[in-house]
Amino acid sequence: MNRWPCVILWGMQQQDNLTFINRHHRAMTIETQKPKRDGLLVAVGIVLLILYFCFAIVILRRFDVNDAALVTNIILVIMGGGLLILVHQLFLRFGSRAQEHSLLREVMEGSTAIRFITNIDNHIVYSNQHFDDFCRLIGASPSFASFVSIFESVPESQVHISTIADQAHRGLSDAVQLSLRRNDAWFYYRIMARPVPGRPGTIAWRVDDVTEQRELDRAISEEREKLIDFTDNAPVGFFSVDQEGRFVFVNATFARWLGDDIGTLLTTGRLHNYMFEPPQNAAPFDVIDKGGVRQLAELRMKGPGGRSWQASINQSVVMDSEGRVRTRAVVYDLTSERSMRQALQASEDRFRRFFEEAPVGIAILDADGHVRDGNPELFPLLGKSRHDIEDKLFSQFVAEKDRAAVASSLESLRTRESFEAPLEIQLLPREGTLKQSPTVRLYARRFKNSDNIVLHFIDLTQQKSLEQQFAQSQKMQAVGQLAGGVAHDFNNLLTAIIGFCDLLLLRHKPGDPSFSDIMQIQQNSNRAANLVRQLLAFSRQQTLRPKVQDVTDVLIEVSHLLRRLIGANIALNLVHGEGLGLVRVDALQLEQVLINLAVNGRDAMPEGGTLTISTAMQATDASWRRGGDEMPPGNWVVISVSDTGHGIPADILPRILEPFFTTKDVGQGTGLGLSTVYGIIRQTGGYLHCHSGVGEGTTFSIYLPVDAGEVEVEAVTAASASDNPVADLTGAAQILLVEDEDAVRAFSTRALTNKGYDVLAAESGEAALALMAEKDNPKIDMLITDVIMPNMDGPTLAKKLRETIPTLKILFMSGYTEERLKEHMDERVFFLPKPFTLKILAQKVKDVLEA
């Protein structure tokens, strides 16, 4: 038995050698056809089995083994070794296929086109993600049938796809272009089918979206047709001849003057054959004796029917890069010089309109990239005058990061007519401005038969600015949603803190050692409540009580407070406009806006100055841009708050409405003042605009829409109704209180119980219904419930209780705005915003019960 480990080790060594041979064999034959490779693998396996069998016979003879069991074991070992080799070969085969499959997936998924592979039965063998997304256009799972059905609205689309598939089955590549209407727009796709070598019946498909290229080709074709039309129908003749005097270019006008068609002239025409007196001592391409680079001559030319006409020829002789002569000549018909001049003037005017009055910047460069000419739109774009850019390298006006790309693209025009795709680049910053470097989309085209290049610039600065504004508005919206959620949770906490402070103050009167501590807690809680109100105002989720107001009355009422706020070294001027319309606003919130703006103006004038608040009427017939908002046409009451302070720098001005952005020192501002102002104004339906300059002061203009309804104007009072003293806040009604916040529920229960009410408290809507069922539907006079609660919210609970108690009075309390409850409000439904004090809660309950 000691011999068997040696036999097995020898077999393993042979297996390792065979593995190396197989790897080397696979590396050498990876590009050959798979059937040959598979046959070779089988042959190698058979040879190895024979070798193992021979080896076993030698072992048996050498050791004279007669034991049948031992023979059986040897045969099993041999068969196991052969099986091991075959398994190993299969592992190598499928491992290689896995690598090939991974490579195929990377190539297919990395392609920007739609790629998929079908077998002879038109089943998808592989497809990339673009194909799956494309099939989902019709809501179908990715398949070849789904792909074909997308184009079913195109006549004979199935025939075209079947045709190129048949071509691929015959070993030929073919392509077809199909159109597809989607979302009220036409899209064009180029579908190509190519057979896969060595895979009969397998087709590789590629689908490219050529819509943009088609539109670009169409635009280029139109421009080319316009240029050809312009050249052929110009009131002057153009021609070019080679060194043998043969015409290589003539326009239709010149051909008409000579009396031959363009084809004949380009085929058999010679310049001197159409002259009555060809020049002597001159080359076949010359129009004057002894020739020259610049030639100007008046000649008698042959016209149709043997007639002659007097021509003025201005010709230049040039040599191309290969040393061949080419002339460029302009011909004037002097027999009708006056009409020709008039037509030429019209032509020049038309060209001037194309060039000088184009709404985009145009520059003409020579072969070395120097600016030779530019239209008026180009100069402000570069921030330079014509003198500053002529004969200068164009690349020196491009931002450093884009110069290499521009230089490479311009160099490519030596071998092609235009850029493969327009470039989006930045130019150098304009001198004397704080604006960003202009961003432009650059198109380039090389003139035919010339090395000169024409560049077209489309200014993208405004587009980029709009994109940034859109991104900023999305960010502000997200911050607003976050602020609203945070404010809601803080309102619950502050309601409990303020409420329990009120309960403590009932037991600790002035003079008590704990009184001052409780007052500190209450004062800081009120400060926190003001900060929460600012967050809600910024996110436009605060509760407003809009009423029809006269802005003049609001200004007069708040002016006394403003004079105390701004200090003695700042003068306050009120300028009241005449004929002001009425506006629907929350007077207290409008006062908060004016206070915030006045405090900002005061901080901008540390050494004193003048704060002016003026009102006026403004009617707009078209939309106005106010900040980042589009103000529609209408009638507006404008409140302007102006200071004579140091002003706001231009780089800071776009950010002043961002939440938590402040230029003040740490601890001197929250950065919510102006964002709160903006939130209140926009929630009211108005618009805010800021105009400022360094050293010129700042003006904030508030645009409030004039109220169209005929409603009695509410008088503006210094204090709200909730602050008025009430003689008796006690009661004897039975109240069902539902609040998921334990602290708020505990405080509210104690506060109402102290006022004499019978309070049933529940932590959720389900618990409230269970409590009502447990007490066999007790008679309750009023439901006080939070709006947002887990599972069952306040409005749902109120609806269920109204089914059994139709006359039930309901008081919703929430840290969110009352606007969310509009559809649930009626004459017996009321609202109490959080946070609230004990007195406000008792007063509101008293008012609801007596309503």
Side-chain angles (χ1 to χ4, degrees):
M1 295 301 294
N2 293 333
R3 302 186 187 96
W4 293 114
C6 297
V7 173
I8 294 173
L9 288 175
W10 186 87
M12 293 178 64
Q13 182 178 6
Q14 297 305 312
Q15 171 65 19
D16 292 338
N17 294 336
L18 183 60
T19 300
F20 173 79
I21 294 172
N22 285 337
R23 287 177 180 173
H24 179 73
H25 173 76
R26 182 168 182 81
M28 295 297 293
T29 60
I30 190 67
E31 297 299 329
T32 61
Q33 296 182 352
K34 288 183 174 55
K36 294 182 178 179
R37 183 189 61 189
D38 295 343
L40 183 60
L41 289 176
V42 173
V44 170
I46 294 173
V47 171
L48 289 175
L49 283 175
I50 295 173
L51 290 176
Y52 266 90
F53 184 73
C54 294
F55 170 74
I57 293 174
V58 171
I59 293 295
L60 290 174
R61 291 181 176 176
R62 180 177 181 182
F63 296 101
D64 193 21
V65 179
N66 296 317
D67 191 346
L70 182 59
V71 173
T72 302
N73 290 335
I74 293 175
I75 293 174
L76 290 176
V77 168
I78 295 173
M79 293 178 65
L83 180 62
L84 178 63
I85 293 172
L86 290 178
V87 170
H88 181 68
Q89 294 300 323
L90 292 175
F91 175 78
L92 289 177
R93 176 182 180 184
F94 287 107
S96 175
R97 289 188 176 179
Q99 293 177 355
E100 294 173 359
H101 183 75
S102 175
L103 178 61
L104 173 64
R105 183 175 63 253
E106 291 178 3
V107 172
M108 296 283 277
E109 295 297 336
S111 175
T112 59
I114 298 170
R115 305 287 293 271
F116 62 97
I117 299 174
T118 59
N119 60 16
I120 194 169
D121 297 323
N122 287 334
H123 291 160
I124 299 295
V125 176
Y126 189 87
S127 64
N128 64 358
Q129 186 62 39
H130 295 304
F131 176 80
D132 298 347
D133 296 339
F134 191 67
C135 288
R136 292 192 183 97
L137 291 176
I138 61 171
S141 60
S143 67
F144 186 74
S146 300
F147 171 75
V148 175
S149 63
I150 292 177
F151 297 95
E152 62 185 0
S153 61
V154 181
E156 299 183 355
S157 61
Q158 294 186 357
V159 175
H160 293 311
I161 295 176
S162 297
T163 300
I164 63 174
D166 292 341
Q167 289 286 88
H169 284 307
R170 289 195 292 269
L172 302 175
S173 298
D174 201 356
V176 65
Q177 182 168 304
L178 299 178
S179 59
L180 179 63
R181 186 173 180 85
R182 189 172 76 247
N183 297 330
D184 296 329
W186 282 101
F187 294 84
Y188 298 89
Y189 297 91
R190 184 175 183 270
I191 305 173
M192 183 174 66
R194 187 178 68 246
V196 177
R199 295 281 185 174
T202 303
I203 303 176
W205 297 80
R206 178 187 178 103
V207 183
D208 293 281
D209 186 347
V210 296
T211 306
E212 184 176 351
Q213 183 63 40
R214 180 186 175 94
E215 291 299 321
L216 181 61
D217 292 342
R218 184 183 60 81
I220 293 174
S221 177
E222 290 179 355
E223 291 297 324
R224 183 182 292 111
E225 292 297 329
K226 290 178 182 177
L227 179 61
I228 293 174
D229 180 71
F230 172 78
T231 304
D232 278 346
N233 295 288
V236 295
F238 299 102
F239 73 84
S240 175
V241 296
D242 59 15
Q243 57 193 9
E244 301 298 331
R246 293 189 296 256
F247 287 107
V248 295
F249 169 78
V250 292
N251 69 339
T253 301
F254 185 63
R256 187 173 62 254
W257 290 346
L258 295 181
D260 274 333
D261 60 87
I262 296 177
T264 301
L265 291 174
L266 296 179
T267 304
T268 60
R270 295 291 189 275
L271 176 61
H272 287 181
N273 292 344
Y274 291 90
M275 297 179 181
F276 277 100
E277 298 175 357
Q280 303 297 320
N281 302 322
F285 54 82
D286 288 329
V287 295
I288 60 175
D289 292 341
K290 299 180 181 180
V293 177
R294 296 284 297 182
Q295 303 178 15
L296 182 62
E298 290 188 7
L299 303 172
R300 202 158 57 94
M301 303 288 293
K302 298 176 181 179
R307 292 177 296 174
S308 66
W309 55 283
Q310 195 70 17
S312 173
I313 302 178
N314 187 346
Q315 177 175 266
S316 60
V317 180
V318 297
M319 298 183 67
D320 61 16
S321 57
E322 298 180 1
R324 295 175 301 185
V325 173
R326 289 292 185 271
T327 69
R328 298 166 186 165
V330 180
V331 185
Y332 301 90
D333 184 1
L334 299 182
T335 56
S336 54
E337 185 174 352
R338 178 174 297 179
S339 59
M340 181 274 298
R341 287 180 179 176
Q342 293 176 349
L344 179 60
Q345 184 63 44
S347 174
E348 290 177 351
D349 290 343
R350 185 163 60 251
F351 172 77
R352 189 57 53 187
R353 285 197 300 271
F354 291 157
F355 185 72
E356 298 287 346
E357 301 177 11
V360 297
I362 303 176
I364 297 177
L365 311 183
D366 61 15
D368 298 325
H370 292 87
V371 180
R372 293 307 180 195
D373 199 0
N375 70 335
E377 283 292 324
L378 177 67
F379 309 134
L381 193 61
L382 300 177
K384 306 286 185 181
S385 65
R386 183 186 295 271
H387 174 73
D388 294 332
I389 69 171
E390 282 186 344
D391 299 327
K392 302 293 194 305
L393 275 173
F394 169 70
S395 59
Q396 73 182 58
F397 304 111
V398 179
E400 183 69 27
K401 66 182 184 66
D402 293 325
R403 287 181 183 174
V406 172
S408 175
S409 298
L410 291 178
E411 181 66 23
S412 69
L413 292 182
R414 296 182 181 273
T415 57
R416 60 166 62 99
E417 292 186 357
S418 63
F419 285 171
E420 290 185 351
L423 298 179
E424 190 171 303
I425 64 171
Q426 273 192 331
L427 303 177
L428 290 179
R430 303 183 182 100
E431 295 180 359
T433 179
L434 296 176
K435 295 182 180 179
Q436 294 181 343
S437 302
T439 301
V440 298
R441 182 174 290 125
L442 180 63
Y443 295 84
R445 190 167 188 81
R446 178 170 52 84
F447 288 115
K448 289 185 176 181
N449 302 320
S450 171
D451 292 331
N452 288 345
I453 300 169
V454 59
L455 303 180
H456 290 81
F457 302 81
I458 297 179
D459 192 353
L460 301 179
T461 305
Q462 184 177 7
Q463 176 182 333
K464 294 295 182 183
S465 175
L466 291 175
E467 290 175 357
Q468 293 176 357
Q469 291 177 16
F470 177 73
Q472 178 69 9
S473 67
Q474 295 239 334
K475 181 177 70 174
M476 297 286 280
Q477 181 181 3
V479 173
Q481 291 175 348
L482 174 63
V486 171
H488 173 262
D489 292 339
F490 264 85
N491 274 333
N492 280 331
L493 299 176
L494 293 173
T495 300
I497 295 172
I498 294 172
F500 282 111
C501 285
D502 289 342
L503 292 175
L504 288 172
L505 289 175
L506 294 176
R507 298 197 304 271
H508 300 274
K509 302 298 181 181
D512 189 294
S514 299
F515 179 78
S516 60
D517 296 335
I518 298 172
M519 289 301 297
Q520 283 292 331
I521 297 174
Q522 188 180 54
Q523 290 173 5
N524 283 282
S525 298
N526 289 331
R527 289 181 59 191
N530 288 332
L531 181 60
V532 171
R533 278 193 290 273
Q534 285 183 314
L535 287 172
L536 286 172
F538 158 71
S539 60
R540 307 179 203 172
Q541 298 182 36
Q542 64 175 341
T543 301
L544 296 181
R545 305 291 182 183
K547 297 177 181 178
V548 177
Q549 308 279 0
D550 187 337
V551 171
T552 302
D553 295 339
V554 179
L555 289 177
I556 293 174
E557 187 65 36
V558 78
S559 62
H560 306 290
L561 177 59
L562 295 181
R563 293 184 191 279
R564 294 195 298 271
L565 284 175
I566 63 178
N569 64 335
I570 296 177
L572 176 63
N573 290 338
L574 295 180
V575 181
H576 300 291
E578 297 181 356
L580 299 180
L582 303 177
V583 295
R584 184 177 292 275
V585 296
D586 186 326
L588 293 178
Q589 294 298 330
L590 182 58
E591 290 178 1
Q592 182 67 43
V593 167
L594 296 172
I595 290 172
N596 285 0
L597 294 178
V599 170
N600 274 3
R602 177 200 66 189
D603 295 342
M605 300 180 289
E607 298 179 358
T610 302
L611 182 69
T612 303
I613 302 178
S614 60
T615 58
M617 282 295 296
Q618 179 71 59
T620 59
D621 298 330
S623 298
W624 282 11
R625 193 75 182 174
R626 286 295 171 257
D629 301 309
E630 193 78 16
M631 189 176 78
N635 295 318
W636 308 86
V637 175
V638 185
I639 306 174
S640 299
V641 181
S642 305
D643 63 62
T644 57
H646 46 66
I648 304 175
D651 57 337
I652 294 179
L653 189 60
R655 301 190 59 192
I656 59 174
L657 298 181
E658 293 182 13
F660 309 111
F661 175 78
T662 178
T663 58
K664 299 178 182 178
D665 294 335
V666 176
Q668 295 186 6
T670 63
L672 283 174
L674 289 178
S675 60
T676 299
V677 168
Y678 176 75
I680 293 173
I681 296 303
R682 290 298 294 123
Q683 192 175 1
T684 305
Y687 295 86
L688 181 66
H689 180 66
C690 178
H691 175 75
S692 182
V694 177
E696 300 177 359
T698 302
T699 298
F700 284 94
S701 299
I702 301 170
Y703 294 81
L704 298 175
V706 174
D707 187 73
E710 297 180 0
V711 184
E712 182 180 353
V713 180
E714 297 283 346
V716 179
T717 58
S720 64
S722 62
D723 295 330
N724 293 334
V726 178
D728 182 16
L729 298 180
T730 61
Q734 189 169 26
I735 299 174
L736 176 61
L737 174 65
V738 185
E739 169 61 61
D740 62 322
E741 190 72 33
D742 295 339
V744 178
R745 185 174 66 254
F747 149 67
S748 302
T749 302
R750 287 182 56 185
L752 295 176
T753 302
N754 290 342
K755 295 301 180 181
Y757 296 103
D758 183 12
V759 180
L760 300 176
E763 69 275 11
S764 64
E766 295 86 347
L769 294 177
L771 183 62
M772 293 290 291
E774 179 184 344
K775 294 185 177 294
D776 197 16
N777 290 327
K779 176 63 176 177
I780 60 173
D781 303 294
M782 183 179 180
L783 169 66
I784 302 177
T785 178
D786 192 10
V787 175
I788 306 298
M789 295 185 296
N791 299 326
M792 183 182 295
D793 59 11
T796 303
L797 173 63
K799 182 179 180 181
K800 288 183 176 295
L801 292 177
R802 279 278 182 88
E803 294 175 357
T804 57
I805 312 175
T807 60
L808 179 65
K809 292 183 177 180
I810 300 170
L811 176 61
F812 288 116
M813 53 183 182
S814 177
Y816 285 118
T817 174
E818 186 180 359
E819 295 292 324
R820 299 193 175 192
L821 297 171
K822 273 188 174 181
E823 60 184 32
H824 304 288
M825 302 296 286
D826 58 33
E827 67 275 4
R828 292 189 304 278
V829 178
F830 303 87
F831 181 76
L832 176 62
K834 294 178 181 179
F836 50 76
T837 63
L838 186 152
K839 182 179 179 180
I840 292 176
L841 175 62
Q843 177 65 59
K844 189 67 177 181
V845 171
K846 187 80 172 181
D847 293 342
V848 171
L849 290 173
E850 294 179 353

